[in-house]
Amino acid sequence: MSGIGPIEPGEGTHAWDTHPAAPPAGTPAAPSTPPPRLRRLLADHRRAALAALLTVGLLTLCAVLYATRPQEREPAISRPPFPAQVVDVTYLGEHSVPPGTRPHTFAFEVLLSVDSGPPVTVTRVSQPYAGASLTSAPRAPFRTEAGSARTIVITMHVAECGSVPENAGLPFIDVTLRNTRAIQQQSFILGPRYAQDLSRALEVACSNESP
């Protein structure tokens, strides 16, 4: 029987190389595994990032605790009061002038008291009228201790009647005060009784007689 059969490999022939079949379309590719050295680098990087994050968080917490800590207040250093805050001047009444005093002169008494703080020195006593002059006994400057008071005799002489008011409405005297805190000039309004006595004294001083 004749025919053509399969060709058998003979001398000088070899089999074709075979390759693994490709996966069907749509099949996900298997994840590639990084080499060991890269894995170590990634692990070291994660540890370093975590350590840095923890350090930042700790520093932030310390800053918040420091900012919100209870503040220790330093004791306030007490300063002496201003002299005008602790001095009071009160009108006592008219005072007789000694015999032989020049005409158109009258006097009155005031009480100066110091409530607290260091001693207060009176360096000047004055009044607002240009036509009159004023002196005090004791003469300025004089000092008054805290918790005490002293009587001051104010003597006023009218030299020019046209420069003084006929009726003093709210008369005052100016007193310059000094202590270890400051020097101040304070105007003291002595009240209605002083206004009445001053108006009457000015009227008598500026009567028809020439000064």
Side-chain angles (χ1 to χ4, degrees):
M1 183 173 181
S2 63
I4 300 174
I7 301 176
E8 295 184 9
E11 189 177 350
T13 63
H14 59 83
W16 295 98
D17 292 333
T18 60
H19 298 278
T27 302
S32 59
T33 302
R37 184 177 180 182
L38 181 58
R39 288 199 301 270
R40 285 196 300 271
L41 291 175
L42 292 175
D44 292 342
H45 178 72
R46 283 195 297 269
R47 283 194 294 270
L50 181 60
L53 183 61
L54 290 176
T55 302
V56 172
L58 182 60
L59 292 176
T60 303
L61 179 61
C62 292
V64 171
L65 292 176
Y66 180 81
T68 57
R69 77 190 191 285
Q71 299 292 331
E72 296 182 0
R73 296 184 177 180
E74 296 182 358
I77 301 176
S78 60
R79 301 185 64 184
F82 287 98
Q85 295 176 328
V86 296
V87 170
D88 187 35
V89 177
T90 306
Y91 179 65
L92 296 180
E94 295 177 303
H95 183 81
S96 59
V97 294
T101 303
R102 57 182 175 171
H104 315 296
T105 300
F106 56 92
F108 53 89
E109 292 180 332
V110 298
L111 183 70
L112 184 143
S113 59
V114 180
D115 293 335
S116 60
V120 175
T121 299
V122 175
T123 62
R124 186 170 183 266
V125 182
S126 60
Q127 49 80 39
Y129 308 128
S133 60
L134 179 151
T135 59
S136 68
R139 290 184 176 274
F142 56 86
R143 189 171 75 164
T144 305
E145 300 288 337
S148 62
R150 72 164 64 226
T151 300
I152 305 171
V153 177
I154 304 294
T155 301
M156 191 176 296
H157 172 71
V158 179
E160 187 177 339
C161 290
S163 299
V164 295
E166 295 181 0
N167 294 306
L170 289 174
F172 59 89
I173 59 173
D174 291 324
V175 182
T176 302
L177 307 168
R178 184 186 71 219
N179 68 359
T180 56
R181 177 72 182 275
I183 299 176
Q184 292 180 297
Q185 179 175 305
Q186 183 75 6
S187 296
F188 292 95
I189 298 176
L190 302 181
R193 191 159 67 95
Y194 172 65
Q196 294 173 2
D197 291 348
L198 180 61
S199 296
R200 183 171 58 252
L202 291 174
E203 182 181 357
V204 172
C206 294
S207 59
N208 292 332
E209 299 180 10
S210 59

